[in-house]
Amino acid sequence: MVLIMRDTVTDLIAFLTVARERSFTKAAAQLGVSQPALSRTIRKLEARLGVRLLTRSTRSVAPTDAGERLIETIGPHFDGIETGLNEIRELSGKPAGSLRITSVEHASTVILAPGVCKLMLDYPDISVEISNDYQLVDIVAQRYDAGIRLGEQVAKDMIGVRVGPDFRMAVVGTPSYFKRRAKPLTPHDLTTHTGINLRLPTSGGLWSWPFAKDGREIRVRAEGHVVCNTLPLMLDFALAGVGLAHVPEDVVQADMEQGRLIRVLDDWCPPVTGYHIYYPSRRQPKPAFRLLLDILRSGV
């Protein structure tokens, strides 16, 4: 009976890892087993339970309805075990454990990375995985410990803690670009300009640039021939004079001060609500996460 229970627990850990990573290859590497061995483990578990837990294709792996139900049932218990073990380690003065955090590039660079560096220097037994993604991720379903997004993007059923000040966006282009095009005076003028756009992974559409002034809020999309999914790439194209970019002010501050980029529509770019770290209200935070949260809060 003990052997059967031990095998079942091992199989469930394997299943949760595959479901979380959405990949047999990544899960096998994390578990330290071969991919064929991991596939056999999952098939045996499915045979023992009499249901299919994962749908497999050449490109992706995803839980079935039964798999999702199993994750919801057993996931919190395994999380609780990990949290309990980490709390015991914390008593030894050597906090350990792993954290998975979904963020966006800008927040990761200016807020999360500095905090994680301090955390890992003080507590070398803690490991952190950061995934940058512009879509709003279901951190419970995808088993993240927390997420970082703008304050207004945090779901109401989450605990949100401010970890960054308000900031402003900037619309910028090179001097050579503005020799070819007149500077826009209002957001509506952007319809005659070339924009360097950002693809939104959730909808597949392009991000519309938000503006506000005197109580008016509008969104405009500057049409262009370049679409990116990272800030550095957008900045590279802007500096090359390809078009206008709409990016956080601090990202282009040095380029503006040195004259490489010129800012326009400054009066249409009010402060944006600062970044918040959010996590489930019904899940006990890991000791490692509490340490990181204290570090991030101290920087606000």
Side-chain angles (χ1 to χ4, degrees), residues 171 187 190 209-213 216-218 220 246 265 268-269:
V171 179
L190 291 173
W209 299 355
F211 297 98
K213 182 179 179 180
R216 294 175 56 204
E217 295 184 7
I218 60 174
V220 178
H246 186 280
L265 301 176
W268 280 92
C269 297

Side-chain angles (χ1 to χ4, degrees), residues 8-295:
T8 300
V9 169
T10 302
D11 294 349
L12 290 173
I13 291 173
F15 162 69
L16 289 173
T17 305
V18 174
R20 181 179 66 235
E21 298 296 334
R22 295 294 199 272
S23 165
F24 275 92
T25 302
K26 293 180 180 179
Q30 186 172 328
L31 294 168
V33 300
S34 68
Q35 186 175 334
L38 180 57
S39 295
R40 288 194 297 271
T41 296
I42 298 301
R43 285 198 298 269
K44 286 193 300 181
L45 177 62
E46 290 176 327
R48 192 157 62 247
L49 296 176
V51 293
R52 192 166 188 176
L53 300 174
L54 297 169
T55 57
R56 306 160 177 83
S57 71
T58 55
R59 294 186 177 181
S60 64
V61 178
T64 62
D65 290 342
E68 290 284 5
R69 194 166 182 176
L70 184 59
I71 292 170
E72 292 175 3
T73 303
I74 68 172
H77 296 290
F78 279 91
D79 290 340
I81 291 171
E82 183 179 357
T83 298
L85 292 174
N86 289 334
E87 287 178 346
I88 294 300
R89 292 191 189 101
E90 196 174 35
L91 295 176
S92 69
K94 296 182 179 180
S98 61
L99 296 175
R100 298 182 74 238
I101 301 173
T102 171
S103 183
V104 291
E105 274 184 300
H106 184 233
S108 293
T109 300
V110 302
I111 294 172
L112 188 54
V116 168
C117 287
K118 178 172 174 46
L119 175 74
M120 299 182 74
L121 288 173
D122 292 340
Y123 305 101
D125 293 328
I126 293 176
S127 62
V128 181
E129 176 185 343
I130 299 171
S131 176
N132 286 330
D133 199 330
Y134 285 103
Q135 67 180 330
L136 295 178
V137 176
D138 185 338
I139 63 174
V140 175
Q142 298 196 29
R143 296 178 61 78
Y144 284 100
D145 293 289
I148 293 184
R149 295 292 188 274
L150 295 176
E152 64 264 20
Q153 294 177 314
V154 176
K156 293 181 179 180
D157 60 341
M158 295 284 167
I159 296 176
V161 180
R162 178 184 280 269
V163 292
D166 291 351
F167 62 92
R168 299 180 69 213
M169 302 293 287
V171 179
V172 294
T174 60
S176 63
Y177 176 86
F178 288 117
K179 286 182 180 179
R180 306 192 305 268
R181 304 281 185 91
K183 294 179 181 178
L185 301 179
T186 72
H188 294 293
D189 295 336
L190 291 173
T191 56
T192 62
H193 281 264
T194 300
I196 300 166
N197 287 301
L198 176 72
R199 177 78 66 189
L200 296 177
T202 304
S203 64
L206 301 180
W207 181 54
S208 296
W209 299 355
F211 297 98
K213 182 179 179 180
D214 299 331
R216 294 175 56 204
E217 295 184 7
I218 60 174
R219 285 182 172 269
V220 178
R221 183 180 300 158
E223 298 296 336
H225 302 292
V226 176
V227 179
C228 306
N229 66 350
T230 67
L231 280 177
L233 195 55
M234 294 172 67
L235 183 57
D236 287 342
F237 280 110
L239 288 168
V242 171
L244 301 180
H246 186 280
V247 294
E249 180 182 62
D250 61 281
V251 171
V252 291
Q253 188 66 49
D255 292 304
M256 291 191 297
E257 291 174 353
Q258 295 176 29
R260 291 189 291 267
L261 290 173
I262 296 173
R263 184 174 193 168
V264 293
L265 301 176
D266 187 11
D267 56 333
W268 280 92
C269 297
V272 176
T273 304
Y275 291 113
H276 288 58
I277 191 166
Y278 63 97
Y279 55 97
S281 58
R282 288 176 288 183
R283 182 192 296 171
Q284 180 68 22
K286 297 177 181 178
F289 175 70
R290 293 199 296 267
L291 291 170
L292 177 61
L293 183 59
D294 289 341
I295 292 172

